[in-house]
Amino acid sequence: MLNCAVVADLIPQAAEVADVGSGAGLPGLTFAIARPDLRLTLIEPLERRCIWLNEVVDDLELENVTVFRSRAEQAIDHVNADVVTARAVSALGNLARLTMPLVHGHGEVLAIKGRSAAEEVQKASKVLRKLGADRTEVVIAGADILDEPTTVVRISIGRSS
Ligand SMILES: C[S@@+](CC[C@H](N)C(=O)[O-])C[C@H]1O[C@@H](n2cnc3c(N)ncnc32)[C@H](O)[C@@H]1O
């Protein structure tokens, strides 16, 4: 959970955040707990996982979270995020197709990845450019508090506008 929570440091104040494929709540619920200034939409297609997520939201009395049952590609008309996050959902090329449209031309994707992050960026570079990535970089979060910090691929979209 801490490996997810540290990624919240990369998210601007009061941002609208969509977490794609939240599953049991990672990383989205950790952001909601650590950063009450954020508004979170947890996008998850499986009903039983959405039921679980809603139970946790109720139990923890989180007021900054909406659980949205959908596949990411069908959520485009309903979600307009400043930042889209994801962990363990898909390889970067496909993940970019699922996440980048949700910022509607301006924002960031933060994909929590493992040691192969740089390799994934290289493999997906064509797709990323086609989808409108201005800049893609591998950043490390939590180096000051974790033995094994978290590797994140940050994709910026519409930086100049
Ligand atoms: C391996 S789980 C990871 C869950 C959580 N992010 C984590 O790190 O523990 C992948 C999740 O992505 C969801 N998922 C798969 N395809 C998706 C899509 N097209 N849009 C949104 N969620 C999707 C699955 O239902 C599943 O809950």
Side-chain angles (χ1 to χ4, degrees):
M1 283 174 73
L2 265 184
N3 274 89
C4 289
V6 292
V7 177
D9 290 347
L10 303 175
I11 301 176
Q13 194 71 16
E16 186 77 48
V17 181
D19 184 39
V20 165
S22 294
L26 295 177
L29 285 177
T30 68
F31 299 155
I33 294 164
R35 292 278 305 275
D37 60 294
L38 303 177
R39 276 166 303 166
L40 273 297
T41 301
L42 309 183
I43 302 172
E44 170 54 51
L46 293 186
E47 186 179 21
R48 69 176 194 283
R49 292 183 183 169
C50 289
I51 291 170
W52 155 263
L53 289 168
N54 274 314
E55 278 175 12
V56 176
V57 168
D58 288 347
D59 286 351
L60 299 182
E61 298 180 2
L62 296 172
E63 290 178 359
N64 57 343
V65 181
T66 303
V67 178
F68 184 48
R69 185 178 173 209
S70 175
R71 297 182 68 79
E73 52 273 52
Q74 283 151 10
I76 296 170
D77 292 339
H78 306 275
V79 174
N80 187 354
D82 302 309
V83 178
V84 182
T85 60
R87 173 183 178 269
V89 174
S90 187
L92 191 63
N94 188 48
L95 188 66
R97 289 188 195 92
L98 298 180
T99 53
M100 288 176 66
L102 297 175
V103 305
H104 296 266
H106 188 90
E108 282 185 352
V109 172
L110 298 174
I112 299 177
K113 288 288 180 182
R115 291 198 182 106
S116 62
E119 203 179 306
E120 283 203 52
V121 169
Q122 204 165 8
K123 264 195 201 157
S125 61
K126 221 170 158 180
V127 175
L128 292 170
R129 268 199 308 277
K130 204 169 157 192
L131 289 168
D134 292 324
R135 179 183 171 139
T136 304
E137 59 199 323
V138 176
V139 295
I140 301 296
D144 48 343
I145 57 166
L146 295 172
D147 288 341
E148 203 166 322
T150 306
T151 307
V152 180
V153 175
R154 175 161 61 196
I155 306 167
S156 305
I157 304 124
R159 275 157 38 105
S160 52
S161 56

